[in-house]
Amino acid sequence: MNSSMESVYSTQTDTAVLLNNGHAPHHHHQVHSSYLGHSRRHTPALPSSSPSRERLRHSQPMHIRAVRNLQEEHQLRPASLPAIPNPFPELCSLTGSPILSPIQTSDNHIVKVWSEDGAGKVVEIPADMTARDVCQLLVYKSHCLDDSAWSLVEHHPILGIERCVEDHELVVQVQASMSGDSKFLFRKNYAKYEFFRNPLNFFPEQMVAFCQESDGSIPPSQLLQNFLNSSSCPEIQGYLHVKEPGRKSWKKLYMFLRRSGLYYSTKGTSKEPRHLQVLSDLEDSNVFTVITGRKLHNAPTDYQFCIKPSKVRSDCKELKMLCAEDEQSRTCWMTAFRLFKYGIVLYQSYNVPQQRKSNLSPFTAPVRSVSENSLVAMDFSGRTGRVIDNPIEAQSAALEEGHTWRKRSQRMNVLGSPSPLHPSSLSTVIHRTQVWFHGRIMREEAHKMMIQQGQVDGLFLLRDSQSNPKAFVLTLCHHQKIKHFQILPCEEDGQVFFSLDDGATKFTDLIHLVEFYQLNRGVLPCKLKHPCTAVAL
């Protein structure tokens, strides 16, 4: 029995030596060495000249290499078998593996935009996306009427200031200069480029002067060209109230706004260099509208604005608080600040919507817009339609159309439709679906919305009357002044109409009334042009 066991162990020992000499895998060495460790009494001593037998006899641990030698693999691979390529090389490299490689940082940024009703929308944008592109994205997502008046507003509630972000500015850069409590608002601003259409309404001649000319007068035809031409040196001059730093007192100074910055004179209205002191530069600053009211800063008037350095986030002491005498003066100073800082870039941004409309492909949906030139009175009584140029004839055509609608509604009443006097009548509620109707808002809220969306001629909205529950109020802006006109109901032949002129011109509903005054001025100081709207994101 012992001899048979010795023969078995000797056979295993020879096999282990044979495998070791034949480059067998290393785990085989460990298995046989464990057997050999128990049979040292029965196995004859191996010659010391054999290193393999010496290692196996003492059962020493073998080192298992984690990475094979490519040269040894090439020697062991049979010549008849081709090399099998790795089908997933990206999983074996640190750079290509989605697990082993480091996390790739995206170039997109998260921006949250708020609407007038307090709702917010989160959008992911690239770093090179401009404010105009973000507005177009929000218009598409919110299914709004597309026009160039939509704007992104930089709002600082703690500082009580806000400004309209220029269309060419990068939103990510603007967001980097804002504090944690600041936010973007999405609203319309019709006055954004209105100064290109009516420059004389924004730049009174007494406030505009040339530095190189002694008379200081600017021809109206050359007004915008002088602002946009970098070789010219126009300037805005006039009195402004300046808030003293760290105090609530204001000081009235004669100011000069040039391309190089905003200056004030230490001696009356003198513009000599030795009498001028710089108040702020234009390169690293932006002009903001103050929205907190005059009581907070003890301002002398309601027409406040300020200059905020780009590096300032939430420090009120760094703001240059200014106050103008009237709205026209404030608009002039703020518009000139934008022109001096950005120059021809503003004019290029103004021309982009017109170029986009002219370059629309036949497969692109048309951009809908309502303007004064797209609404005209038409006469379709003949074989072909014609434009009614005479306002008296247009008014008579509107009255005739009103009578036609009245007869049609009377026929509907005979057929059993609800009476127009009934509260559920369509004519009493159809206007609530329009963008220009804002329901039961207060007079102060209407003023605030008109100011926020730019006090341009023809900006309007309709609302419920606070004094008369059956009446409505038309709020209209003209010459940067906000006026209110009451729309009273009047009854005739058992039917209710709406009128602005004590029944001289009657309309079956408010939609017809608005459409008529978009074509004709009538008793209003100007036509209705721009509806004051609020969008829900």
Side-chain angles (χ1 to χ4, degrees), residues 170-198:
L170 300 181
V171 178
V172 175
Q173 293 183 359
V174 177
Q175 184 176 242
S177 64
M178 298 167 57
S179 60
D181 63 287
S182 304
K183 58 184 177 180
F184 287 115
L185 301 178
F186 181 58
R187 73 161 72 116
K188 282 197 172 185
N189 183 10
Y190 293 101
K192 183 167 53 175
Y193 299 120
E194 186 66 19
F195 57 89
F196 285 118
R197 307 180 186 96
N198 302 299

PDB file of all heavy atoms in Angstrom, residues 170-198:
ATOM      1  N   LEU A 170     -24.811  87.988 -24.447  1.00  0.00           N
ATOM      2  CA  LEU A 170     -24.822  86.570 -24.104  1.00  0.00           C
ATOM      3  C   LEU A 170     -25.476  86.390 -22.735  1.00  0.00           C
ATOM      4  O   LEU A 170     -25.069  87.009 -21.753  1.00  0.00           O
ATOM      5  CB  LEU A 170     -23.403  86.013 -24.090  1.00  0.00           C
ATOM      6  CG  LEU A 170     -22.639  86.110 -25.412  1.00  0.00           C
ATOM      7  CD1 LEU A 170     -21.238  85.501 -25.273  1.00  0.00           C
ATOM      8  CD2 LEU A 170     -23.399  85.434 -26.542  1.00  0.00           C
ATOM      9  N   VAL A 171     -26.480  85.547 -22.669  1.00  0.00           N
ATOM     10  CA  VAL A 171     -27.269  85.386 -21.454  1.00  0.00           C
ATOM     11  C   VAL A 171     -26.430  84.780 -20.331  1.00  0.00           C
ATOM     12  O   VAL A 171     -26.576  85.154 -19.163  1.00  0.00           O
ATOM     13  CB  VAL A 171     -28.508  84.522 -21.751  1.00  0.00           C
ATOM     14  CG1 VAL A 171     -29.322  84.284 -20.488  1.00  0.00           C
ATOM     15  CG2 VAL A 171     -29.373  85.179 -22.812  1.00  0.00           C
ATOM     16  N   VAL A 172     -25.539  83.869 -20.662  1.00  0.00           N
ATOM     17  CA  VAL A 172     -24.715  83.235 -19.633  1.00  0.00           C
ATOM     18  C   VAL A 172     -23.794  84.256 -18.978  1.00  0.00           C
ATOM     19  O   VAL A 172     -23.592  84.242 -17.753  1.00  0.00           O
ATOM     20  CB  VAL A 172     -23.911  82.072 -20.239  1.00  0.00           C
ATOM     21  CG1 VAL A 172     -22.947  81.479 -19.221  1.00  0.00           C
ATOM     22  CG2 VAL A 172     -24.854  81.001 -20.762  1.00  0.00           C
ATOM     23  N   GLN A 173     -23.237  85.170 -19.755  1.00  0.00           N
ATOM     24  CA  GLN A 173     -22.380  86.207 -19.179  1.00  0.00           C
ATOM     25  C   GLN A 173     -23.172  87.161 -18.300  1.00  0.00           C
ATOM     26  O   GLN A 173     -22.692  87.590 -17.248  1.00  0.00           O
ATOM     27  CB  GLN A 173     -21.672  86.970 -20.298  1.00  0.00           C
ATOM     28  CG  GLN A 173     -20.654  86.145 -21.065  1.00  0.00           C
ATOM     29  CD  GLN A 173     -19.921  86.957 -22.112  1.00  0.00           C
ATOM     30  OE1 GLN A 173     -20.170  88.157 -22.295  1.00  0.00           O
ATOM     31  NE2 GLN A 173     -19.022  86.316 -22.838  1.00  0.00           N
ATOM     32  N   VAL A 174     -24.374  87.506 -18.729  1.00  0.00           N
ATOM     33  CA  VAL A 174     -25.214  88.379 -17.903  1.00  0.00           C
ATOM     34  C   VAL A 174     -25.583  87.690 -16.605  1.00  0.00           C
ATOM     35  O   VAL A 174     -25.561  88.294 -15.523  1.00  0.00           O
ATOM     36  CB  VAL A 174     -26.473  88.804 -18.684  1.00  0.00           C
ATOM     37  CG1 VAL A 174     -27.394  89.641 -17.808  1.00  0.00           C
ATOM     38  CG2 VAL A 174     -26.088  89.587 -19.931  1.00  0.00           C
ATOM     39  N   GLN A 175     -25.907  86.409 -16.668  1.00  0.00           N
ATOM     40  CA  GLN A 175     -26.277  85.660 -15.461  1.00  0.00           C
ATOM     41  C   GLN A 175     -25.104  85.551 -14.494  1.00  0.00           C
ATOM     42  O   GLN A 175     -25.291  85.534 -13.269  1.00  0.00           O
ATOM     43  CB  GLN A 175     -26.780  84.275 -15.843  1.00  0.00           C
ATOM     44  CG  GLN A 175     -27.278  83.448 -14.671  1.00  0.00           C
ATOM     45  CD  GLN A 175     -27.852  82.120 -15.101  1.00  0.00           C
ATOM     46  OE1 GLN A 175     -29.023  81.821 -14.912  1.00  0.00           O
ATOM     47  NE2 GLN A 175     -27.025  81.289 -15.692  1.00  0.00           N
ATOM     48  N   ALA A 176     -23.873  85.499 -15.015  1.00  0.00           N
ATOM     49  CA  ALA A 176     -22.703  85.403 -14.144  1.00  0.00           C
ATOM     50  C   ALA A 176     -22.497  86.662 -13.315  1.00  0.00           C
ATOM     51  O   ALA A 176     -21.900  86.607 -12.232  1.00  0.00           O
ATOM     52  CB  ALA A 176     -21.459  85.113 -14.980  1.00  0.00           C
ATOM     53  N   SER A 177     -22.974  87.804 -13.796  1.00  0.00           N
ATOM     54  CA  SER A 177     -22.825  89.056 -13.059  1.00  0.00           C
ATOM     55  C   SER A 177     -23.999  89.354 -12.140  1.00  0.00           C
ATOM     56  O   SER A 177     -24.008  90.399 -11.485  1.00  0.00           O
ATOM     57  CB  SER A 177     -22.659  90.224 -14.044  1.00  0.00           C
ATOM     58  OG  SER A 177     -23.829  90.387 -14.837  1.00  0.00           O
ATOM     59  N   MET A 178     -24.980  88.450 -12.055  1.00  0.00           N
ATOM     60  CA  MET A 178     -26.163  88.666 -11.231  1.00  0.00           C
ATOM     61  C   MET A 178     -26.007  87.962  -9.891  1.00  0.00           C
ATOM     62  O   MET A 178     -25.311  86.957  -9.779  1.00  0.00           O
ATOM     63  CB  MET A 178     -27.414  88.167 -11.962  1.00  0.00           C
ATOM     64  CG  MET A 178     -27.692  88.888 -13.268  1.00  0.00           C
ATOM     65  SD  MET A 178     -28.924  88.068 -14.311  1.00  0.00           S
ATOM     66  CE  MET A 178     -30.341  87.977 -13.222  1.00  0.00           C
ATOM     67  N   SER A 179     -26.677  88.500  -8.879  1.00  0.00           N
ATOM     68  CA  SER A 179     -26.656  87.902  -7.551  1.00  0.00           C
ATOM     69  C   SER A 179     -27.676  86.765  -7.467  1.00  0.00           C
ATOM     70  O   SER A 179     -28.438  86.517  -8.401  1.00  0.00           O
ATOM     71  CB  SER A 179     -26.947  88.966  -6.484  1.00  0.00           C
ATOM     72  OG  SER A 179     -28.221  89.554  -6.702  1.00  0.00           O
ATOM     73  N   GLY A 180     -27.707  86.086  -6.324  1.00  0.00           N
ATOM     74  CA  GLY A 180     -28.586  84.938  -6.171  1.00  0.00           C
ATOM     75  C   GLY A 180     -30.057  85.290  -6.171  1.00  0.00           C
ATOM     76  O   GLY A 180     -30.893  84.484  -6.595  1.00  0.00           O
ATOM     77  N   ASP A 181     -30.420  86.472  -5.719  1.00  0.00           N
ATOM     78  CA  ASP A 181     -31.825  86.863  -5.683  1.00  0.00           C
ATOM     79  C   ASP A 181     -32.300  87.457  -7.001  1.00  0.00           C
ATOM     80  O   ASP A 181     -33.501  87.658  -7.180  1.00  0.00           O
ATOM     81  CB  ASP A 181     -32.050  87.882  -4.560  1.00  0.00           C
ATOM     82  CG  ASP A 181     -31.278  89.168  -4.799  1.00  0.00           C
ATOM     83  OD1 ASP A 181     -30.043  89.146  -4.651  1.00  0.00           O
ATOM     84  OD2 ASP A 181     -31.899  90.190  -5.145  1.00  0.00           O
ATOM     85  N   SER A 182     -31.402  87.767  -7.918  1.00  0.00           N
ATOM     86  CA  SER A 182     -31.782  88.356  -9.202  1.00  0.00           C
ATOM     87  C   SER A 182     -32.360  87.286 -10.120  1.00  0.00           C
ATOM     88  O   SER A 182     -32.126  86.092  -9.941  1.00  0.00           O
ATOM     89  CB  SER A 182     -30.566  89.015  -9.856  1.00  0.00           C
ATOM     90  OG  SER A 182     -29.985  89.970  -8.983  1.00  0.00           O
ATOM     91  N   LYS A 183     -33.098  87.721 -11.113  1.00  0.00           N
ATOM     92  CA  LYS A 183     -33.743  86.774 -12.019  1.00  0.00           C
ATOM     93  C   LYS A 183     -34.027  87.447 -13.358  1.00  0.00           C
ATOM     94  O   LYS A 183     -33.979  88.672 -13.492  1.00  0.00           O
ATOM     95  CB  LYS A 183     -35.042  86.247 -11.415  1.00  0.00           C
ATOM     96  CG  LYS A 183     -36.061  87.320 -11.057  1.00  0.00           C
ATOM     97  CD  LYS A 183     -37.274  86.714 -10.363  1.00  0.00           C
ATOM     98  CE  LYS A 183     -38.275  87.783  -9.943  1.00  0.00           C
ATOM     99  NZ  LYS A 183     -39.461  87.186  -9.262  1.00  0.00           N
ATOM    100  N   PHE A 184     -34.330  86.598 -14.345  1.00  0.00           N
ATOM    101  CA  PHE A 184     -34.709  87.055 -15.672  1.00  0.00           C
ATOM    102  C   PHE A 184     -36.228  87.062 -15.791  1.00  0.00           C
ATOM    103  O   PHE A 184     -36.903  86.121 -15.359  1.00  0.00           O
ATOM    104  CB  PHE A 184     -34.122  86.148 -16.762  1.00  0.00           C
ATOM    105  CG  PHE A 184     -32.640  86.305 -16.964  1.00  0.00           C
ATOM    106  CD1 PHE A 184     -31.786  85.265 -16.676  1.00  0.00           C
ATOM    107  CD2 PHE A 184     -32.108  87.487 -17.426  1.00  0.00           C
ATOM    108  CE1 PHE A 184     -30.423  85.393 -16.860  1.00  0.00           C
ATOM    109  CE2 PHE A 184     -30.744  87.635 -17.609  1.00  0.00           C
ATOM    110  CZ  PHE A 184     -29.896  86.594 -17.330  1.00  0.00           C
ATOM    111  N   LEU A 185     -36.754  88.121 -16.408  1.00  0.00           N
ATOM    112  CA  LEU A 185     -38.177  88.224 -16.701  1.00  0.00           C
ATOM    113  C   LEU A 185     -38.377  88.223 -18.211  1.00  0.00           C
ATOM    114  O   LEU A 185     -37.536  88.719 -18.956  1.00  0.00           O
ATOM    115  CB  LEU A 185     -38.779  89.500 -16.099  1.00  0.00           C
ATOM    116  CG  LEU A 185     -38.659  89.671 -14.581  1.00  0.00           C
ATOM    117  CD1 LEU A 185     -39.251  91.007 -14.156  1.00  0.00           C
ATOM    118  CD2 LEU A 185     -39.360  88.534 -13.854  1.00  0.00           C
ATOM    119  N   PHE A 186     -39.500  87.674 -18.629  1.00  0.00           N
ATOM    120  CA  PHE A 186     -39.845  87.587 -20.046  1.00  0.00           C
ATOM    121  C   PHE A 186     -41.070  88.450 -20.286  1.00  0.00           C
ATOM    122  O   PHE A 186     -42.161  88.131 -19.826  1.00  0.00           O
ATOM    123  CB  PHE A 186     -40.112  86.133 -20.436  1.00  0.00           C
ATOM    124  CG  PHE A 186     -40.449  85.928 -21.889  1.00  0.00           C
ATOM    125  CD1 PHE A 186     -39.574  86.335 -22.874  1.00  0.00           C
ATOM    126  CD2 PHE A 186     -41.648  85.334 -22.253  1.00  0.00           C
ATOM    127  CE1 PHE A 186     -39.875  86.146 -24.209  1.00  0.00           C
ATOM    128  CE2 PHE A 186     -41.952  85.137 -23.588  1.00  0.00           C
ATOM    129  CZ  PHE A 186     -41.067  85.543 -24.559  1.00  0.00           C
ATOM    130  N   ARG A 187     -40.863  89.552 -21.002  1.00  0.00           N
ATOM    131  CA  ARG A 187     -41.966  90.472 -21.269  1.00  0.00           C
ATOM    132  C   ARG A 187     -41.691  91.249 -22.552  1.00  0.00           C
ATOM    133  O   ARG A 187     -40.605  91.180 -23.124  1.00  0.00           O
ATOM    134  CB  ARG A 187     -42.168  91.442 -20.104  1.00  0.00           C
ATOM    135  CG  ARG A 187     -41.098  92.508 -19.981  1.00  0.00           C
ATOM    136  CD  ARG A 187     -41.581  93.679 -19.122  1.00  0.00           C
ATOM    137  NE  ARG A 187     -41.658  93.321 -17.729  1.00  0.00           N
ATOM    138  CZ  ARG A 187     -40.899  93.880 -16.785  1.00  0.00           C
ATOM    139  NH1 ARG A 187     -39.989  94.798 -17.120  1.00  0.00           N
ATOM    140  NH2 ARG A 187     -41.018  93.526 -15.526  1.00  0.00           N
ATOM    141  N   LYS A 188     -42.680  91.993 -22.967  1.00  0.00           N
ATOM    142  CA  LYS A 188     -42.538  92.821 -24.160  1.00  0.00           C
ATOM    143  C   LYS A 188     -41.998  94.196 -23.804  1.00  0.00           C
ATOM    144  O   LYS A 188     -42.297  94.735 -22.741  1.00  0.00           O
ATOM    145  CB  LYS A 188     -43.883  92.953 -24.890  1.00  0.00           C
ATOM    146  CG  LYS A 188     -44.264  91.737 -25.710  1.00  0.00           C
ATOM    147  CD  LYS A 188     -45.355  92.062 -26.707  1.00  0.00           C
ATOM    148  CE  LYS A 188     -45.590  90.893 -27.651  1.00  0.00           C
ATOM    149  NZ  LYS A 188     -46.566  91.228 -28.704  1.00  0.00           N
ATOM    150  N   ASN A 189     -41.235  94.758 -24.737  1.00  0.00           N
ATOM    151  CA  ASN A 189     -40.716  96.116 -24.592  1.00  0.00           C
ATOM    152  C   ASN A 189     -40.744  96.771 -25.971  1.00  0.00           C
ATOM    153  O   ASN A 189     -39.840  96.597 -26.782  1.00  0.00           O
ATOM    154  CB  ASN A 189     -39.299  96.106 -24.027  1.00  0.00           C
ATOM    155  CG  ASN A 189     -38.759  97.504 -23.799  1.00  0.00           C
ATOM    156  OD1 ASN A 189     -39.500  98.479 -23.881  1.00  0.00           O
ATOM    157  ND2 ASN A 189     -37.484  97.612 -23.534  1.00  0.00           N
ATOM    158  N   TYR A 190     -41.837  97.511 -26.234  1.00  0.00           N
ATOM    159  CA  TYR A 190     -42.004  98.136 -27.540  1.00  0.00           C
ATOM    160  C   TYR A 190     -41.058  99.313 -27.759  1.00  0.00           C
ATOM    161  O   TYR A 190     -40.829  99.711 -28.899  1.00  0.00           O
ATOM    162  CB  TYR A 190     -43.453  98.616 -27.702  1.00  0.00           C
ATOM    163  CG  TYR A 190     -44.462  97.501 -27.766  1.00  0.00           C
ATOM    164  CD1 TYR A 190     -45.224  97.163 -26.650  1.00  0.00           C
ATOM    165  CD2 TYR A 190     -44.656  96.772 -28.926  1.00  0.00           C
ATOM    166  CE1 TYR A 190     -46.159  96.135 -26.712  1.00  0.00           C
ATOM    167  CE2 TYR A 190     -45.588  95.746 -28.993  1.00  0.00           C
ATOM    168  CZ  TYR A 190     -46.339  95.436 -27.882  1.00  0.00           C
ATOM    169  OH  TYR A 190     -47.246  94.416 -27.946  1.00  0.00           O
ATOM    170  N   ALA A 191     -40.504  99.850 -26.685  1.00  0.00           N
ATOM    171  CA  ALA A 191     -39.614 101.009 -26.813  1.00  0.00           C
ATOM    172  C   ALA A 191     -38.168 100.601 -27.037  1.00  0.00           C
ATOM    173  O   ALA A 191     -37.292 101.463 -27.073  1.00  0.00           O
ATOM    174  CB  ALA A 191     -39.714 101.877 -25.553  1.00  0.00           C
ATOM    175  N   LYS A 192     -37.901  99.311 -27.219  1.00  0.00           N
ATOM    176  CA  LYS A 192     -36.524  98.838 -27.333  1.00  0.00           C
ATOM    177  C   LYS A 192     -35.809  99.464 -28.520  1.00  0.00           C
ATOM    178  O   LYS A 192     -34.651  99.880 -28.421  1.00  0.00           O
ATOM    179  CB  LYS A 192     -36.520  97.316 -27.435  1.00  0.00           C
ATOM    180  CG  LYS A 192     -35.161  96.691 -27.486  1.00  0.00           C
ATOM    181  CD  LYS A 192     -35.223  95.190 -27.266  1.00  0.00           C
ATOM    182  CE  LYS A 192     -36.184  94.496 -28.194  1.00  0.00           C
ATOM    183  NZ  LYS A 192     -36.141  93.021 -28.051  1.00  0.00           N
ATOM    184  N   TYR A 193     -36.496  99.539 -29.657  1.00  0.00           N
ATOM    185  CA  TYR A 193     -35.905 100.132 -30.867  1.00  0.00           C
ATOM    186  C   TYR A 193     -36.787 101.225 -31.442  1.00  0.00           C
ATOM    187  O   TYR A 193     -36.633 101.584 -32.616  1.00  0.00           O
ATOM    188  CB  TYR A 193     -35.677  99.052 -31.927  1.00  0.00           C
ATOM    189  CG  TYR A 193     -34.730  97.964 -31.500  1.00  0.00           C
ATOM    190  CD1 TYR A 193     -35.145  96.632 -31.450  1.00  0.00           C
ATOM    191  CD2 TYR A 193     -33.424  98.253 -31.135  1.00  0.00           C
ATOM    192  CE1 TYR A 193     -34.293  95.632 -31.048  1.00  0.00           C
ATOM    193  CE2 TYR A 193     -32.558  97.254 -30.728  1.00  0.00           C
ATOM    194  CZ  TYR A 193     -32.997  95.946 -30.682  1.00  0.00           C
ATOM    195  OH  TYR A 193     -32.130  94.958 -30.278  1.00  0.00           O
ATOM    196  N   GLU A 194     -37.683 101.771 -30.644  1.00  0.00           N
ATOM    197  CA  GLU A 194     -38.589 102.794 -31.146  1.00  0.00           C
ATOM    198  C   GLU A 194     -37.847 104.070 -31.524  1.00  0.00           C
ATOM    199  O   GLU A 194     -38.295 104.827 -32.396  1.00  0.00           O
ATOM    200  CB  GLU A 194     -39.655 103.096 -30.091  1.00  0.00           C
ATOM    201  CG  GLU A 194     -40.747 104.040 -30.543  1.00  0.00           C
ATOM    202  CD  GLU A 194     -41.630 103.463 -31.641  1.00  0.00           C
ATOM    203  OE1 GLU A 194     -41.641 102.229 -31.809  1.00  0.00           O
ATOM    204  OE2 GLU A 194     -42.307 104.264 -32.316  1.00  0.00           O
ATOM    205  N   PHE A 195     -36.682 104.321 -30.910  1.00  0.00           N
ATOM    206  CA  PHE A 195     -35.950 105.552 -31.219  1.00  0.00           C
ATOM    207  C   PHE A 195     -35.389 105.530 -32.642  1.00  0.00           C
ATOM    208  O   PHE A 195     -35.069 106.586 -33.196  1.00  0.00           O
ATOM    209  CB  PHE A 195     -34.822 105.775 -30.212  1.00  0.00           C
ATOM    210  CG  PHE A 195     -33.839 104.642 -30.118  1.00  0.00           C
ATOM    211  CD1 PHE A 195     -32.723 104.597 -30.925  1.00  0.00           C
ATOM    212  CD2 PHE A 195     -34.041 103.614 -29.205  1.00  0.00           C
ATOM    213  CE1 PHE A 195     -31.818 103.553 -30.845  1.00  0.00           C
ATOM    214  CE2 PHE A 195     -33.137 102.561 -29.113  1.00  0.00           C
ATOM    215  CZ  PHE A 195     -32.028 102.531 -29.931  1.00  0.00           C
ATOM    216  N   PHE A 196     -35.270 104.362 -33.263  1.00  0.00           N
ATOM    217  CA  PHE A 196     -34.860 104.308 -34.666  1.00  0.00           C
ATOM    218  C   PHE A 196     -35.990 104.748 -35.591  1.00  0.00           C
ATOM    219  O   PHE A 196     -35.733 105.243 -36.686  1.00  0.00           O
ATOM    220  CB  PHE A 196     -34.409 102.894 -35.042  1.00  0.00           C
ATOM    221  CG  PHE A 196     -33.050 102.525 -34.514  1.00  0.00           C
ATOM    222  CD1 PHE A 196     -32.904 101.470 -33.636  1.00  0.00           C
ATOM    223  CD2 PHE A 196     -31.917 103.240 -34.882  1.00  0.00           C
ATOM    224  CE1 PHE A 196     -31.659 101.119 -33.139  1.00  0.00           C
ATOM    225  CE2 PHE A 196     -30.666 102.902 -34.391  1.00  0.00           C
ATOM    226  CZ  PHE A 196     -30.536 101.844 -33.524  1.00  0.00           C
ATOM    227  N   ARG A 197     -37.230 104.577 -35.167  1.00  0.00           N
ATOM    228  CA  ARG A 197     -38.370 104.958 -35.990  1.00  0.00           C
ATOM    229  C   ARG A 197     -38.765 106.411 -35.776  1.00  0.00           C
ATOM    230  O   ARG A 197     -39.139 107.099 -36.733  1.00  0.00           O
ATOM    231  CB  ARG A 197     -39.559 104.040 -35.677  1.00  0.00           C
ATOM    232  CG  ARG A 197     -39.235 102.552 -35.784  1.00  0.00           C
ATOM    233  CD  ARG A 197     -40.461 101.718 -35.459  1.00  0.00           C
ATOM    234  NE  ARG A 197     -40.160 100.283 -35.413  1.00  0.00           N
ATOM    235  CZ  ARG A 197     -39.896  99.602 -34.316  1.00  0.00           C
ATOM    236  NH1 ARG A 197     -39.922 100.226 -33.145  1.00  0.00           N
ATOM    237  NH2 ARG A 197     -39.631  98.314 -34.362  1.00  0.00           N
ATOM    238  N   ASN A 198     -38.718 106.865 -34.549  1.00  0.00           N
ATOM    239  CA  ASN A 198     -39.095 108.253 -34.223  1.00  0.00           C
ATOM    240  C   ASN A 198     -38.016 108.887 -33.354  1.00  0.00           C
ATOM    241  O   ASN A 198     -38.175 109.006 -32.136  1.00  0.00           O
ATOM    242  CB  ASN A 198     -40.447 108.285 -33.500  1.00  0.00           C
ATOM    243  CG  ASN A 198     -41.556 107.642 -34.310  1.00  0.00           C
ATOM    244  OD1 ASN A 198     -41.877 108.089 -35.412  1.00  0.00           O
ATOM    245  ND2 ASN A 198     -42.148 106.593 -33.774  1.00  0.00           N
TER     246      ASN A 198
END
